Amino acid sequence: MFDNEFIRVSSCNPRYFEYESGAPFLPIGVNLCFQRYITDDGEALAMFEKEIRHFAENGGNLIRVWCGVALLNLEPELEGMFSAEKLENMKALVAIAKKNHVRIKFTLEHFRTVTPRKERELFTGAVTFQQPIYHTSRGGSCENMTDYFTKDAPRKNLLKKLEILSREFAGEPAVMGWELWNELNAVDAPRNVWLPWLEMMVAEMHRLFPRQLIMQSLGSFDCLESFANYAAVGRVPGIDVGQIHRYLEPGADLDICRGALDQLEADATRETLELFPERPVFVAETGAAAYHHSGPSHLYEQDRAGILLFDGVFTPFFCGVAGCGHFWHWDQFYIGLHDHWKIFSLFAETVAGVDPVRENFTVHQRESGRLRFYGLSGRTQQLWLLRDKRNDWQHEFNEGIAPELLAEMEIPLAALTSQTVSGVSFFAPWDGTRGALAIHDGKITLPRFHRALILKIQR
């Protein structure tokens, strides 16, 4: 195990991660950001322990956790009054992660306004996005979010909090990194206000957490404005990891966000790789949402097989992401509802023994009349995800069309590789079958499979 080593961007291939010793680290991650309905701290930690253990048992090794929620918020009552009890909760959570060999990405803040106001819940169990302790009416230093990002007092207060966290966690390898803010462009302040703050705070984060990775996220990449926001963050010095949030969402402005989830993920990955050059990238939040993110998608109730999770987890890696896609709606809204944790074990099995740093993968895509091909070509092997184009959420849920069993599809190897091939193996995740494929006249015949197939071509 590498529990005592920090994770860093690979010194040989900046698109991927490694341990300090140089061994590869391939993140298998999910959002476990908060406990929706549990108000008792002890019960919340117990639930985190249960979820983390279950995730780890299925191959997971990275979780995202929000610090600004009741369990972990270091300023629960007044600006500048820090809670030793909440700090102990953070330490307890880190200990749980360490015990299960899981790394944590902490998201420091998520609020969008400091103005006290009546707030309608976005949906049952949603966290609040306001933080009135910073408002002058509650003894704070700000009238609005512009004040928060531009005035000295809130900035100095945040640095005090970060110094507390640095003393406790800067030397902790189980903390992979820190995300400054959840979806920073969603705050009640324009980009020309929050962007200079971000540039300054990223430098401070590297000073305080020199061996941990620093990240930033933005809202779902689903409209034309997203291009400018993501490009701006991509140019911020010191952002170690590129991140994108994107959901299947019927009210999205971009057409790609209303279609097949594997294509949505492939496009998201392509955009992120372009906007964050020479860095690893994450599809850091993905899933399916109701209109204008007013709640979880109604599709979740129907998705008892987990095809949405499969596409969200698998496709990004096969398109060049440093690990799997990180799904949202982790609990009773979807993953927990149907016990879909097994999808992560399928991914873990797929990438077992794969060293993306050594392979130095390049990305390829193909399309036939029936299949979409997402491929990674490396020094010793090629990995391909084959996806049935006639099976997606629209066909299976809206139209009630069951996935067809595909059989005896012949593929010319030259369409996938120009290299000499020593062997081809397959894994059919939905069917639980695996094995070797014979090569005849430069062609392979695919096995019987539903929905998707993984091919590994050895050189």
Side-chain angles (χ1 to χ4, degrees):
M1 300 299 293
F2 301 92
D3 290 347
N4 294 323
E5 295 188 38
F6 286 87
I7 305 299
R8 67 187 184 190
V9 175
S10 170
S11 55
C12 301
N13 185 341
R15 282 302 192 190
Y16 294 100
F17 297 104
E18 64 185 13
Y19 296 98
E20 290 176 303
S21 61
F25 175 72
L26 202 161
I28 302 175
V30 72
N31 289 278
L32 289 185
C33 294
F34 46 83
Q35 299 299 327
R36 294 186 194 274
Y37 302 109
I38 300 174
T39 57
D40 178 81
D41 286 2
E43 292 179 10
L45 286 170
M47 181 57 72
F48 262 123
E49 181 159 23
K50 178 180 178 181
E51 291 172 334
I52 291 169
R53 182 179 66 251
H54 201 26
F55 183 49
E57 289 170 349
N58 284 277
N61 60 20
L62 175 65
I63 61 172
R64 179 182 179 223
V65 175
W66 286 13
C67 297
V69 297
L71 176 68
L72 306 176
N73 181 15
L74 294 190
E75 292 176 280
E77 297 176 1
L78 293 171
E79 180 176 359
M81 182 180 292
F82 302 111
S83 168
E85 178 184 355
K86 301 302 181 182
L87 183 61
E88 288 301 314
N89 288 346
M90 284 190 73
K91 292 163 67 175
L93 184 58
V94 170
I96 291 168
K98 287 179 65 175
K99 183 172 68 174
N100 290 279
H101 312 294
V102 168
R103 308 287 170 137
I104 297 179
K105 176 178 69 174
F106 277 123
T107 300
L108 289 168
E109 305 287 3
H110 69 272
F111 63 91
R112 298 173 179 178
T113 181
V114 299
T115 306
R117 61 191 181 198
K118 291 183 178 180
E119 182 181 66
R120 182 182 64 85
E121 276 191 319
L122 290 175
F123 57 92
T124 303
V127 297
T128 179
F129 283 95
Q130 59 178 275
Q131 185 52 285
I133 67 166
Y134 297 121
H135 196 264
T136 53
S137 66
R138 303 285 180 88
S141 58
C142 306
E143 290 289 343
N144 48 48
M145 287 302 293
T146 295
D147 281 354
Y148 184 88
F149 290 119
T150 59
K151 291 179 67 174
D152 286 339
R155 188 179 307 158
K156 290 178 180 177
N157 182 68
L158 177 57
L159 287 173
K160 288 179 182 178
K161 179 161 65 174
L162 293 175
E163 286 164 0
I164 294 172
L165 294 173
S166 176
R167 287 193 294 270
E168 293 293 341
F169 303 114
E172 178 50 74
V175 179
M176 179 179 176
W178 302 86
E179 178 181 82
L180 276 155
W181 210 285
N182 173 69
E183 301 188 346
L184 187 54
N185 62 309
V187 300
D188 289 347
R191 186 171 66 233
N192 62 1
V193 169
W194 55 256
L195 187 60
W197 176 91
L198 176 63
E199 293 170 344
M200 178 193 65
M201 291 308 303
V202 167
E204 293 287 356
M205 293 295 290
H206 278 292
R207 176 180 66 84
L208 292 166
F209 305 95
R211 300 177 72 184
Q212 292 160 335
L213 301 168
I214 307 304
M215 291 160 264
Q216 179 52 52
S217 69
L218 296 171
S220 187
F221 197 118
D222 59 10
C223 63
L224 291 176
E225 186 181 1
S226 300
F227 290 89
N229 284 328
Y230 274 83
V233 171
R235 291 190 293 267
V236 173
I239 297 288
D240 293 312
V241 182
Q243 298 193 118
I244 194 169
H245 291 185
R246 178 176 274 180
Y247 288 81
L248 172 64
E249 195 265 286
D253 184 41
L254 300 182
D255 289 343
I256 194 71
C257 297
R258 301 191 299 274
L261 194 63
D262 65 301
Q263 291 183 296
L264 174 156
E265 305 290 358
D267 183 75
T269 299
R270 179 184 58 79
E271 293 288 358
T272 317
L273 289 169
E274 291 180 2
L275 292 166
F276 295 86
E278 298 300 310
R279 278 164 284 186
V281 301
F282 283 147
V283 176
E285 270 191 33
T286 192
Y291 193 79
H292 285 175
H293 297 272
S294 57
S297 173
H298 69 282
L299 299 174
Y300 285 158
E301 179 64 34
Q302 303 172 67
D303 189 16
R304 292 177 176 82
I307 67 170
L308 294 170
L309 182 60
F310 179 90
D311 285 336
V313 165
F314 274 72
T315 312
F317 175 72
F318 282 86
C319 293
V321 165
C324 78
H326 300 174
F327 220 83
W328 188 258
H329 301 123
W330 62 92
D331 49 11
Q332 55 267 58
F333 285 120
Y334 180 51
I335 296 178
L337 174 67
H338 299 300
D339 193 23
H340 282 332
W341 301 104
K342 61 185 179 292
I343 299 295
F344 295 100
S345 68
L346 297 177
F347 182 80
E349 179 179 351
T350 298
V351 301
V354 173
D355 183 345
V357 173
R358 179 171 176 265
E359 292 293 340
N360 193 28
F361 285 126
T362 56
V363 178
H364 306 277
Q365 293 188 26
R366 308 279 191 269
E367 189 163 342
S368 69
R370 186 60 188 262
L371 299 173
R372 282 189 287 271
F373 298 74
Y374 302 105
L376 296 170
S377 179
R379 290 191 174 102
T380 69
Q381 62 186 316
Q382 283 190 329
L383 303 175
W384 287 93
L385 168 63
L386 281 56
R387 191 66 173 89
D388 181 2
K389 293 164 61 174
R390 298 183 196 172
N391 169 255
D392 56 26
W393 63 269
Q394 292 166 310
H395 290 88
E396 192 154 339
F397 304 145
N398 288 0
E399 300 171 26
I401 301 174
E404 183 180 346
L405 180 64
L406 304 182
E408 298 184 356
M409 299 181 70
E410 196 173 70
I411 303 292
L413 272 179
L416 303 181
T417 180
S418 60
Q419 304 293 319
T420 301
V421 174
S422 65
V424 182
S425 59
F426 75 90
F427 172 43
W430 294 108
D431 304 87
T433 58
R434 55 187 57 75
L437 296 178
I439 303 172
H440 294 293
D441 297 326
K443 300 176 182 179
I444 56 173
T445 300
L446 301 182
R448 297 156 62 92
F449 71 96
H450 294 91
R451 298 191 181 101
L453 184 73
I454 310 295
L455 294 180
K456 181 180 290 187
I457 300 174
Q458 295 293 148
R459 292 180 175 173

